Amino acid sequence: MKNASASAAERGEDSNNHNSKSPAKRLKDVEVSVPIVYGTISFWLGKKATETQSHKWTVYVRGATNADLGAVVKRVVFQLHPSFNNPVRAVESPPFELSECGWGEFEIAITLYFHADACDKPLTLFHHLKLYSEDEPGTQSIKKPVVVESYDEIVFPDPSENFFARVKNHPAILSYVSAPLGLHSVEEVNEAKEEETKDHPLSQWFKNFSEGDELSKLAAARQQVQGHIVKLRNQLSSMNGQLESVVIECD
């Protein structure tokens, strides 16, 4: 789970792409959680394969239910191996993906830049491109690709009012955690399958993370923790009030 406001991601580029105005008011005790999947799908080229062009692959960041991430992510920068022409590639709009051909495996840095009202710090993820199956070593097929994906959640604590207003009607890609406000739960996210992107050419190979037990467990645990935080803050506020009363009486 990645906390967007506390990310230690490096700034690969300047911040001129962000809006200069930052929303002042933030919603306390609210978290916006964006489930994402990032990974690669690689196809062996078969008879068309050459020594330097043996596979065609695609690296991407997508919503956990294939939904559009454009409401949160402004652009994505992929850092490829230095041997590629223009190894730093920026994708300015969804779908946030990049396709290439090659012969070797390497680590790809994936940097997400968010809309200014969401977070002004980019988040960098790392993914290792796999061209050969570890489950079936020595076998290759032009019909069955090698798929390696990772699931994660980007959490935006105390979101700005502007950001919250823009994304609150996107249950297919976002879940909200807030004990006092009772916002969208992970169950509502899973029920929003009608809004999923169905026409992506690689969708048949995508793994299904939205129905996994881990997703429900994470949401339930986070909701429970959020409830405890609100309860403790209320208790602390009450104790501070009692302490102030004691001080006044002593004076």
Side-chain angles (χ1 to χ4, degrees):
M1 186 181 299
K2 304 294 189 297
N3 188 318
S5 67
S7 169
E10 296 179 356
R11 293 177 181 270
E13 302 180 14
D14 61 41
S15 59
N16 292 334
N17 293 306
H18 297 294
N19 297 330
S20 58
K21 295 182 179 179
S22 298
K25 190 170 182 180
R26 309 191 75 85
L27 300 174
K28 299 297 182 181
D29 302 325
V30 177
E31 288 183 352
V32 175
S33 175
V34 184
I36 65 166
V37 175
Y38 58 98
T40 51
I41 295 180
S42 61
F43 290 86
W44 179 51
L45 295 178
K47 294 181 180 180
K48 296 181 180 180
T50 65
E51 185 176 348
T52 58
Q53 303 284 318
S54 61
H55 291 76
K56 181 178 180 180
W57 49 265
T58 300
V59 58
Y60 51 85
V61 179
R62 62 182 179 87
T65 60
N66 301 345
D68 187 348
L69 290 176
V72 179
V73 179
K74 185 175 183 179
R75 65 185 176 124
V76 175
V77 175
F78 298 95
Q79 175 74 55
L80 307 182
H81 191 273
S83 61
F84 283 86
N85 291 328
N86 302 318
V88 180
R89 312 279 183 88
V91 179
E92 303 290 344
S93 60
F96 296 111
E97 60 184 40
L98 173 68
S99 296
E100 262 292 357
C101 289
W103 60 270
E105 299 180 346
F106 58 93
E107 186 176 67
I108 302 173
I110 307 170
T111 302
L112 281 62
Y113 290 83
F114 306 104
H115 291 288
D117 58 0
C119 183
D120 62 357
K121 297 180 180 179
L123 174 66
T124 300
L125 308 168
F126 296 93
H127 176 79
H128 193 82
L129 169 65
K130 297 292 292 184
L131 304 182
Y132 304 95
S133 173
E134 295 181 350
D135 298 329
E136 303 175 32
T139 62
Q140 295 190 87
S141 171
I142 60 173
K143 295 182 178 180
K144 185 179 180 180
V146 175
V147 183
V148 180
E149 294 187 318
S150 298
Y151 171 87
D152 212 327
E153 293 182 55
I154 306 175
V155 178
F156 298 87
D158 301 337
S160 69
E161 285 188 328
N162 290 348
F163 173 49
F164 183 80
R166 188 176 70 255
V167 303
K168 66 180 181 181
N169 293 322
H170 293 272
I173 63 171
L174 301 172
S175 59
Y176 309 91
V177 180
S178 177
L181 296 182
L183 301 172
H184 295 301
S185 66
V186 70
E187 288 77 12
E188 292 174 291
V189 175
N190 289 337
E191 289 172 0
K193 288 190 171 295
E194 294 78 10
E195 300 181 28
E196 294 177 8
T197 302
K198 301 293 186 182
D199 57 353
H200 194 287
L202 299 176
S203 61
Q204 63 175 313
W205 306 113
F206 289 156
K207 297 179 181 179
N208 188 349
F209 291 89
S210 63
E211 295 179 343
D213 291 338
E214 290 303 316
L215 179 56
S216 297
K217 289 178 181 178
L218 283 171
R222 195 170 58 242
Q223 199 160 14
Q224 185 177 18
V225 169
Q226 191 71 15
H228 287 314
I229 291 174
V230 173
K231 183 178 180 180
L232 289 173
R233 284 180 177 175
N234 291 336
Q235 291 176 347
L236 182 60
S237 177
S238 176
M239 292 173 62
N240 286 337
Q242 294 175 6
L243 181 60
E244 291 177 359
S245 176
V246 171
V247 171
I248 293 173
E249 291 178 359
C250 290
D251 290 344

